Every structure is written in structure tokens, then in C-alpha cells.
Amino acid sequence: MIETIENQTSGKQENPTAKNFPAFFSCWDIHAYYGESYIVQGVSFDVREGEVVALLGRNGAGKTSTLRTIARTADPQLKRGEMWLDHQALHEMPSHKAAQSGVALVPEDRRIIPGLTVEENLKLAQIAEPCGWAIERIYEYFPRLAERRTQEGITLSGGEQQMLAFARALARDIKLLMLDEPFEGLAPLIRNEISKIVLDIKNLGITTIIVEQDAMAVLKLADRAIILDMGKVVFNGAAEEVRTNKELREQYLAV
Amino acid sequence: MDSIFLQILNGLDKGGAYALIALGLTLVFGTLGVVNFAHGAIFMLGSFCAVTTQNLLTYSKKVKDESITYFEAFKEVPYLEIWWGDTGSFIIDYKVPFSILLAIPVMLLIGLAMERGLIRHFYNRPHADQILVTFGLAIVIQEIVKSIYGANPIPVPAPAIVAGSASIGSWIGLGESVVYPWWRLIYLANALVVISAVFSFLKFTTYGMVVRAGMQDRETVGLLGIDIQRRFTVVFGMASVVVGIAGVMYTPILSPDYHMGMDFLVLSFVVVVVGGMGSLEGAVVAGFMLGVLQSFAAMNEIKSIFPGIDQIIVYLVAVIILLTRPRGLMGRKGVMED
Amino acid sequence: MNDQKKLARDWSRRQILKASATGAVLAASSSPMFFVKDAWAANFRNNPGNSSSVTLGFNVPQTGAYSDEGADELRAYKLAVQHLNGEGDGGMLNTMTPKSLTGNGILGKKVKFVTGDTQTKSDAARASAKRMIEKDGVLMVTGGSSSGVAIAVQGLCQENGIIFMAGLTHSNDTTGKDKKRYGFRHFFNAYMSGAALGPVLEKEYGNERKAYHLTADYTWGWTQEESMRKFTEALGWQTSKAVKTPVGAGDFSQYITPVLNSGADVLVLNHYGKDMINSLTQAVQFGLRDKQVNGKNFEIVVPLFSRLMAQGAGSNIKGILGSTNWNWSLQDAGSQAFVKSFGQAYGFPPSMAAHTCYVQTLLYANACEMAGTFNPPEVIKSLEGFSFDGMGNGPTEYRASDHQCFKNVLVVRGNMNPSSQFDLLDVVQEVPRSQVEYDPAIFGGKLGPYTV
Amino acid sequence: MDTISRKGELRMMALFAVIVLLMPIWLIPFGAAYPDLLQKFAIFGIFAVGFNILFGLTGYLSFGHAVFLGVGSYAAVWSFKLFTMNVIPAVIFGVLFSGIFAAVIGFVSLRRSGIYFSILTLAFAQMSYNLAYSVLTPITNGETGLQLRLHDLRMIDGLFIEAGEGLPLTNLFGIKMSGYPGFYFCAVLLILAFYLALRIKNSPFGMALKAIKSNQLRMGYTGFNTRPYLMSAFMISGMYAGLAGALLAVTDPLAGAERMQWTASGEVVLMTILGGVGTLFGPLLGAGLIKYFENIFSSYNDALLQETFSFLPDMLNNLMVGIISPFVGDGWHLTLGGLFMVIIIFLPGGIVGGITMVWRRYMKKRGASAEMEGETS
């Protein structure tokens, strides 16, 4: 199955228009609202193919909202702006179309569906084309999920649920993976396990945006960092720079 | 003992009707999040599918009735009987089972049309708006039915072979005197079959799994690339079919009239709430429970202790359950508590 | 909130002053009008004076469970108005005796009518009747298809000094404890049903029977149960149990199952309309009619029948005994004349509700002619004790002491072999008036004054 | 949300009072200027305004409010029967008893919110209705409804007045309460009730209720106890309903059980939403519209239609009658249902909401300058 992803990558490289649009994913001046409250206030950035981007910022800076806007969930509501993923206009799509175009969001609270077993949760991800990893391959990579395949998904431990959420994303053919706080609320040991998975994903060459409170942890993984404040982009540069620039961190990240 | 047995049977029978209606209501609420006050009207439309089938099958040649001399009157002889003789009569006799064949496509279409044409535009509106617009729809539907079929109940008898009673007592050793109408037994069996069919569909098919997932968390299902909206439209159609079949099968028990939907509506809402909003199992359990309780409350022994208890038992139980179990018997947290 | 602020602001003080000044002038100029209206009342309410027409109010259920009856009543009323105005074939005007009507309206004034919807609810019925009295200026209100509604409207008419000619109402109370000087009932009542059915039941089912009553839990049901018990117990029947059922219960199975093992061999259904159709259908489904109890065939009795109900009950009604005020198959000249004009107009025969409403309208018109005035006390006096014939029920009298019509009562049976789709009831016996008559004192109540 | 100044409030009340009191005149062209319908407008206006205090301000949707209407009526008729035909005690009793009922039902029902609250109130109303219809007949006289009788006790009246031959009439110290005087009595109470509702809405208490509507949960977290506020709102609105019920009995001394049926509760919900929930005038407008439909639309029949269109040639006349007749007379429910749907679909804020929208657009058109002027004045 690794082949499929590689094929896809190489296929895209052959695309002649790709040269004209070096950014694989790009969002341009997006504005989004939760009801009356104005949350995403004109965010623009590009992501190159295969890049891992850390999206940072304080609580309430609009990180999660930006991810949800890209995933085209009903809330927050996109009022203005464009988003393009591999020549596809995401801003014109409902969430299920965006998902079919290759957007995957692993939400903060994992959103494992109650009442469904582990396997059903995975199956659910493979109903809409295009699919990614086969379920056997997922079980191979996550043996703990294989053990619990008939167990109800929400009865798993926090770490296992996170794995399931990852697995569910990998079960789809993804072009842009968005991880919202993948380490939140996990014990240190499990965190290591998860960051190993994230590293693996990075090595697979999947374009990824990670939102994380623990900036230092994620900056080790990321190629680039984007910092949001009050719904606007205030920094966009190498991850290394944020790691070394204490002032920047203190100003926008409070660390 | 005999009477208790019969009352339990009565209660299950009644409960079957409640459960089917409440099941449809819960399906719609659980998937689309819409409080559908037109649900009773759909039940009524199901019954009138049977009436329509009857009218179609007995479409008649009018022959001048010589016995009436004061004015032009006509005797009606169904064409089916003229053409096919006994076979025609046989088909007419089996109109209720036949009308299910009509009801399934018709109710599906009605359900889909309702969802596409009206309900769809109310997903993001407050529940009060949903209640009101579907209530308005219910009034419009029933007034149209009334203007076509009149206000009086229209008898739609069951096939002659099951018109009488089964001596159910002799099967289980309670004696010959314990009898129960065939059609009610069939109704109960039908209710159980339809309920099992709905649950099997949800439990054992992939489509059902998606619907279940969507009922729990439609956003996440959408994020996995599934157009849950389209599936929910189908579920709405399915709920209409379920309640439509309930309506068809109920016609021999209760001659349908245009107002029967409203009579069931309040009760079915109570059932749904007692079961727990959004819980399919709850709807079924509460339906049967309230049916049996209502049946027992009507027993003379109980009425002599609590006069009028049979008139209020359903509501009384609803109050008690809601006060002791805030979300109904099997409700989930966070449903309809805004 | 913003808008109210603006609204208030935009209504400048000057405008408000202007508006209120106009209002005051209007109020002042219009108030004498109201007093004038009251001044007429001293004469009598809604006096047509020199107007060339008079208006009658037909207040029937147009929506709700009894709207089919209501529609049939309305058809009959329209027919009656036509006949009074000399249009059509005249119907019962040709057969009524004694008759003062001439076919040129009432007292030379053309008859017009207004209609209203009672919704089978007392409040709505009274609101509708009030509209007729206050707005449309009707001289007489008639209609109703429920005793509760009839009693409520009758009370209202008494207060307003308008004559009420009751339509279909069967409770003893209408001309019993709730009787009113301004209210008249042509229809029979539960007592008469019982009195008429008693001897027939004795003949058909014998003296040793145990009856089980299912009774609609409201006033009409109770009076009917009371009357039926009174007469059947007088025959020597026992009443094994009388159970009240909620109105509009729909499914009566839980009330029917206890009958099966109660030892009773007769079931009396004191239900009407939809309830009766459902309870009868379900009782038959429970096999009650195929049952043998105490060595006798189990029987079902429905004291009050109507053809429309028989239609709803379908084949279940076959062979069941009950009573009715009138049936279209009667062969007397009056009935034939009425059925003929009704059938020609609408294509099917009239129901008993239609009949009683038609007759009531004619009787009122006739009483006005007799009195030579529309003044209610005079009209009432000419109706009280009025004896007539040729209206379908044989010789009939409006008893002065309670405004109840006394006439023969029909005991009917659901037709076993109907010859047409309308031929649902078979007349078993025309019970003579003398057998159903009673002393008005047994129900109490007072008619009240002639002038209000 | 800003509040209207005290002066603006009084101006608005004056305007309102004039409109209400002049109803017998300006309703003439609509064919609605007769006492009974005018009384109904005022009475159901009170009912709807009261309902709006609960539903409009707190968002709690009671589906059993008609029970208080019924209790008010029964209490009033009993006051006529037992004590006096004077309407003042009847009104007081009506309000008092419905208040007590509201306290009991509210105490239990307000333990839940959302649709659970609605179902609890519905359950209580249906129980009351079913019992009033059957078992409680000694108190309610069942289906027939509680009526006055010649031999009623009337203790207080008995001391002063010789009983007449006929039924006594309800009166306000000798002024009989049927017809136009009855209407003016109701109208004055409507104006008072409306003023009270206005004061409640703009008071700190009203603000607290609105805060409950916008966020019950957060208020719970901040340690703000919402129960007493909700309880008061429920009782006040129950007492409004009781007042309306008592007035129904005042203008027409009969109390029927069907006044408590769920459809009657549904009607007041429809009135409120139709006119515009949470707005001041919306419920009044909705109440008026529904009663107008019920009384005027239902009375149209073919003959009357024929007359109305008699100016047209025969062909057209028949066509018009054919088109319209399904919607009037016995079809008035159809029109009502259709109207609801249209309003809910296209005017979510009800009629008043719609008018406000049009008004705002109009104001925008008139330009920002006028707006500015308005703000500074």
C-alpha cells in the first residue's frame, strides 16, 4: 500500500500545471464565523507537498477553527476566501466533498463514533472513494487495534482512541492530513508512541498540518511553523526559527 | 389469570402500534434532528393507502337501482367481480395485504418529497419552527384527505379468513374460552417483524452502520467523505414506509378517518420522550411498556381503586419517568436539552 | 426593541394628538349607535322590521369528528330554505298538516341563512352562534351534532332571546334538567330509546339476560346508560357491569376483553359516532357475536343508530338492534316527499340528522306564520303544544312543558341483506308514542321566562 | 438590547390604548366589529401576551398552557355560582386559582428544560383535561361544561338582590358584562396586562429572563439560581392565562373542558409564533388573526361567496367561487394550515418580524443621514 501513496506522489510530480502552482495546498484570505463571532480573520498560507507544518498560537487564536474551516465543517461558516488543494477548490465544497478530495481531519477529541466497534469505525472511513490503507494493513501497523477490533471504539483508552483516529485517517486516500492536538491528555509513554506514528506519517510523505499546544514537541517534527494570533497569521517561517527565537515564543505562544 | 393474559396481549398489541410510530419518529429525529409533527399525518396517509386500494379494487360499474324510486340511485358492482368473478372477489377480500404493495412505494415517495421539499430547509431552524411548520403541514394534509374522503371513518375489513378470533387459549392450555382476534395477532407479528427488520437493517448492513454513525455524529461521518445528508433523506423515506405500514395494518382494527393522525401524535411524542429522545431501543421499549400499562389501567379491578386512571395513566407515567430519569428510559446526554 | 423606539419616535406628539382626537370624536359619535342597538332589544332582538328578508343561523360541525353529519344537516337546511321560499318541489310543505306556510318565505319575507362551524366544541359553537346573533342578526339558531354543544348553545340563545331549534342531540338533559324556554327539540332522547328498545329486546332476547355496558364517559353516555339500565332491568335483565370508556379512545380492546369472561350475554354500547364504529368493529373482531354464553347467543345492542354510522361500521352492523329518530326507507307521504327532493338534489338519501334539521326549520317558520310575528314569546307560544303530522314521524306533538317532541320511535336492525348501498337499516318496529312518553318532572329543570 | 425610555413607553401605551379601544370602529370594514369577536380578540390577546412572557422571554415552550385558561374559567364560574354575579371576585378567583395551579405544575415541570419541559406541561394539561371531562364532573360538569343555574347558591347576591325569574347576568356593579360593555371591560384589562408585560420585559427581572434564554447553562455555572426567576415567569404567565379564562367566563358564563385540551394549548403557541415570538405586538396580532379566521372565514359558504362576487359575469363568478370555496367555510383549517406554513417558511420572525424587516430595509433606503439624525435626537 505504500506504493499507492508513492504512485500518487510521483503522479502529481508529472502534472505539468504543478510547476505553475508550487503550493500543493493554499488558503487565501479566509474569513470564518461561529454564528456572530468572527473567529478566522483573513488567514493566508501555503503548504508544499510533503511538508509538515506546525500551526501554533495561544488558546483561542483560531487554530482549531482554521483546521475546521479547511475541512469545510458546517461550523465555523466560511464567509470569504479561497482554499485550493491540488487544483481543487475546497471553498466550494461541503465537508464530505472536501474529504473525498483528500482532506482528513483528526479532531482534537478524536470523535470516535459511539456504538460502533473499532472495525466499524475503520470501515466507515472506507465507504466513500478514494480509500487509502486496507484494513489489514492498518491492523498490521496498529496491532493493538487488531486485538480490539470487535470492541466498541469509545471504550478504548485515550491513546488507543488516538491511534484509531489516526488509523481512520490513513484508511482514506489523503492529500492533506490535519492533526488537532494529537498529544493532548495523553500520558508521556503514549505520547512517545504517538509521536513515532506522526514521524512515520511524515516519512510517508503525507502533507500535514499539526496544531499543538506543546509547541516544542511539535517543532521537532515540523518543517515550518505558522503562528496565529487573534485569528490572523503573525508568523510564517522555518520551524527552526521559532525553536530558537525565545522572544517570538514568549510574545505569541506564552512559553 | 385469563383476563390478565388477554390484557397483556392487548397491551402488546397496542404497544406494537405505539412502538412502530415512535420508531419512525425517532428515526427522523435521530438522523435529521427534526421534530416532525406531521408524523401522525403520515400514519394517516398510510391508512388511506389501504382505503385507496380498496376504492381502486372495488371501482364499480354503476347500475340503476330500481328499488329506489324517489330519485336516481345506483347500485355498484365492482368491475373486478364482473370480469373475474370469484377471483375478483378474492382479490377484493385481500385488499389490506395488497395495499401494503401500494403503500411501500407511495409512502417512500411521500417521505422523500416531504424531506426534499420542506423538511430539508428546516435543519438549522429552531425546533419550534420545525414543530410549527410540520404541524401546519399536518393540518394541510389532513384537510386535503378530508376533502377527498370525507370526515367519517371508512371501514376497511381484514380478509374474511382472519376476521374472527383465534382460540389462543387452547394452544397454550388456558381453555377454549380464551380467544383473541386473528388480525390483532397478525398485527402484533407484523409489528415485531417490522421492528426487527429496522433494527437488523441498522445493525447488520453497511448502510445501516453509516446511518447509525450519522445519528451519533454526523460531522465526523461527513469528514470521512460520506454524504450523510443523502442517506438521511433515504432514512426519512424509510421512516415513512415504517409508519405507513403501521397505518395500513391498523385499518381493520380502527376504521381510518382524516383525524386519526392527530389522535396518535401526542401519544407518540409521549412514547418517544419516555423512551428517551433519539433512542430507537427506548422508543420500542417505551411503546410496549405504555401499551401494557394502559391496558392494565383499563381493568375494572384497577379502575375501582383509582377512578379515571385509564384516562391519565400514559401521562402520569411520562411525568414520573421524566422526573426520575431526566432523559427518559434510554436517552443520551445532550439531546434536546438546549 | 430598536424598532419600537423608532416607532415611538416616528409617531410625533402632534400625530398622536391628532389620532386620539379623531378617535375621541369617532367614539363619541359611534356610542349612541350601540345604545340604539340596545334600544331595539326592548322590542325584541334582531327584529327584521321592514326588511324584505329574514336570516336564519345554521350552526353545524363543519370540522372535526361529526363534520359529515354537519354537512348533511347543512344540505337539509339549504333544502328547507328553498322550499320555504317556494323554490324546488316543496318537499314536506306538500304533506305537512296543519300548515300555515305558503311558500313565499316567512310572513312574506324571503328567507336567507348564514352558516357557522361548531367544531363540536361548546366554546366554538357559542362563538359562532354569537356571531350569528350579534353580527348577522339572525332570528333563529339551529343545528348541533352533540348534546354538550346543543345545551351550551341553547343556554346562550336563552340569554339572548333567540329561539334555538336543536338538531341532532340525544341526551335527556337537553329537554330535561337543562331545558330552556327558547330551546326546542324535535329529535328523540335516550329515555325514549330505552323505552322503545325495552319491549323489542324482551321479545328478541328474552327476560333472563345479563348486560354489560360500555359507556362513553360524558354526559350523553351517562344518560343513555341510565335509561337503558332502567328499562332493561325492568324486564328482569341484570346489569353485570357498566364501564366508562374515554371519549375518542380509538382502540377499545382493553375494555372489550373483560366482557369475554364476565358471564354477561349482552353488550350494550353506549357510544356514538367514531367511538361506536370502533368499539362495535372491535367487539365483533373479538368474536363476541359468535359466542355462546349461558346457553344463549351473545348479543350486541347499540341504542342509538344512524345511517352514517352504519356506513362506517360496515358489515359489523348487520343484525344489530338499535333505535333511530327517522329512516329514509319509511313509506309515509312526508318521508317520501322529503327523500325525493333531497335525493334529487344530492344523489343520495338524507340521514336522520338531515331530517330532524329540515323539520325543525319548517316548524319554526310555520310557528312564525301561526303567530303572525317574529316576536319570540309569541312564536314560542305557538310552538308549545303544537300538534302536526305529515313530517315523517306520524302524529307529533311539541310538549309545552319541556319543549320535547313526542312521536313514534323507530327500532331498527342492521340490514342483513342490503338491497342498495343506502339500505343499511331495517325498521323492526315503530314503537307508538304512548309507550315512550314520560312525566317531564322526572328530569327536573325549569324552562325559564318568556321574555328575557 | 436597549430599552425604550419611560416617555416613549407611555406614548406607545397611549397609542396602543387608542387602537384597542377603537376596535369597534376600525374593524367594521373587516366584518369583525361585533362584541363577541371583539371580546375574543381582547381575551386571547391577554392569553398570548402572558404566554409570551414565558415563551418569548425565557424560551421555555409550555405545551399545556390552556390548563390555566380552563382553571381560570372554572374558578370564575364557581364564583358566580357560589358568591356573586359581580365579575370582580370572579376575575380575582380566576387569577388566584390559576396562579396556584401554575405554582404546582411549574414546580414540577421546571425541573426539566427543552422538550422535556414541553412534554411535562403537555402531560399535566392532558391529565387535567381528561379528568375534567370525566371523573371530575361534579366540579366541572363534564362535556356540557359548567353552567349557571337558577337555583345556584349566590350567597352574596342573595343578601342584596331578589332573584329574578331568569338566569342572572354577569355584571360589574350593575353594568351587564355581555356585548360592548363586556368588550370594554376586557379591553381595559388587556391594556393593563399589556402595560404590565411591557414593564416586566424592560425590568431587571425581564433582563434576567432573557439572559436565561440566551444561556441557561452559563448562568448555572456562575452560581446564578435561575429557578426562582423561571418559577415567577411561569406563574405570571399562568395567571395571565387564568385572567383570560376568567374573562371568557365573564363575557359568557360557561366553562368547558375542551378549553384545556392540548389543541387549545397548541393554539396559543401558534398565535405567539405566528405574530412573532418575543415581540410585544406579535402575540396580539397572532391571536387576532387566528380568532378572525376561526370566526369569519368559517362562516363563508357558497351562497355568500356567490353574493360577494356577484359583480362578476356568471362564468367568472362560478370560477371564483370554485377556486375559493375549498379554503373557506369547512375548509378554513386548510387556509390556516397553509398560512402557518407560508409564514414559518418565509417569515421566521412571524408577522411582526417580517414587518420589522421591511421597516429596516425601508429605513436603510431612506439613507444613513436620517438614521444619524434619529440617533442624535
Side-chain angles (χ1 to χ4, degrees), chain B residues 150-208:
Chain B
N152 263 1
I154 301 164
V156 184
I161 190 165
V162 288
S165 289
S167 58
I168 189 166
S170 56
W171 305 347
I172 54 166
L174 281 176
E176 282 288 326
S177 66
V178 180
V179 295
Y180 203 70
W182 273 111
W183 190 260
R184 283 173 184 266
L185 292 174
I186 294 172
Y187 189 85
L188 182 56
N190 168 69
L192 293 175
V193 166
V194 173
I195 291 169
S196 326
V198 169
F199 276 91
S200 312
F201 169 79
L202 289 173
K203 190 77 198 165
F204 301 120
T205 66
T206 312
Y207 205 105

Side-chain angles (χ1 to χ4, degrees), chain D residues 72-314:
Chain D
S73 291
Y74 283 126
V77 176
W78 273 113
S79 155
F80 294 141
K81 285 169 90 74
L82 291 180
F83 306 117
T84 166
M85 292 303 289
N86 193 314
V87 297
I88 299 291
V91 168
I92 292 171
F93 274 117
V95 174
L96 191 71
F97 273 91
S98 55
I100 294 169
F101 252 71
V104 175
I105 293 179
F107 180 75
V108 179
S109 303
L110 284 168
R111 291 170 177 270
R112 301 285 170 258
S113 60
I115 200 164
Y116 299 103
F117 169 79
S118 303
I119 293 281
L120 278 173
T121 48
L122 173 71
F124 279 114
Q126 282 296 84
M127 283 196 267
S128 310
Y129 163 70
N130 284 337
L131 292 179
Y133 207 87
S134 58
V135 180
L136 294 181
T137 297
I139 303 171
T140 61
N141 202 22
E143 183 223 17
T144 310
L146 193 60
Q147 287 179 325
L148 300 180
R149 296 200 185 287
L150 280 174
H151 51 81
D152 280 334
L153 197 55
R154 280 189 281 280
M155 282 190 277
I156 299 173
D157 282 0
L159 298 178
F160 302 103
I161 317 159
E162 196 71 12
E165 196 188 349
L167 275 179
L169 295 168
T170 55
N171 64 73
L172 178 68
F173 304 111
I175 309 168
K176 71 175 176 119
M177 280 292 111
S178 52
Y180 282 100
F183 161 67
Y184 283 112
F185 182 66
C186 297
V188 167
L189 282 171
L190 170 66
I191 293 164
L192 291 177
F194 185 78
Y195 183 67
L196 184 63
L198 185 72
R199 297 298 311 145
I200 288 175
K201 188 175 175 179
N202 294 333
S203 68
F205 171 68
M207 294 298 159
L209 294 181
K210 276 179 269 190
I212 292 174
K213 182 180 187 176
S214 56
N215 205 332
Q216 163 109 42
L217 214 60
R218 196 176 299 157
M219 298 199 56
Y221 286 145
T222 54
F224 174 86
N225 188 2
T226 58
R227 275 294 287 287
Y229 286 85
L230 284 170
M231 197 63 199
S232 321
F234 193 84
M235 277 180 66
I236 291 171
S237 111
M239 285 155 87
Y240 266 76
L243 172 63
L247 288 178
L248 279 177
V250 163
T251 53
D252 187 359
L254 174 121
E258 77 246 25
R259 252 170 226 179
M260 300 166 126
Q261 213 183 350
W262 75 272
T263 44
S265 302
E267 197 180 65
V268 72
V269 179
L270 295 181
M271 285 171 180
T272 314
I273 298 182
L274 190 64
V277 68
T279 61
L280 274 171
F281 294 102
L284 283 172
L285 199 62
L289 211 60
I290 287 189
K291 285 292 144 193
Y292 184 77
F293 262 69
E294 186 179 327
N295 287 282
I296 303 297
F297 262 57
S298 70
S299 71
Y300 270 86
N301 51 46
D302 284 1
L304 216 60
L305 280 177
Q306 219 104 45
E307 215 168 285
T308 316
F309 292 108
S310 56
F311 62 91
L312 292 170
D314 262 8

Side-chain angles (χ1 to χ4, degrees), chain C residues 369-447:
Chain C
E369 293 278 356
M370 278 162 58
T373 168
F374 291 102
N375 193 9
E378 301 305 316
V379 178
I380 291 169
K381 279 172 193 154
S382 57
L383 265 175
E384 283 176 342
F386 181 56
S387 292
F388 56 96
D389 198 357
M391 305 282 270
N393 300 99
T396 309
E397 186 199 351
Y398 247 127
R399 188 157 75 179
S401 50
D402 58 358
H403 294 189
Q404 170 68 48
C405 261
F406 282 87
K407 54 193 180 329
N408 299 347
V409 172
L410 300 182
V411 172
V412 291
R413 191 202 303 270
N415 205 334
M416 299 300 281
N417 301 303
S419 65
S420 77
Q421 53 168 325
F422 311 118
D423 184 23
L424 298 170
L425 302 180
D426 222 5
V427 178
V428 177
Q429 197 185 337
E430 247 188 281
V431 179
R433 170 188 164 174
S434 58
Q435 195 185 312
V436 298
E437 225 168 333
Y438 57 87
D439 177 5
I442 61 174
F443 292 124
K446 256 183 178 171
L447 282 172

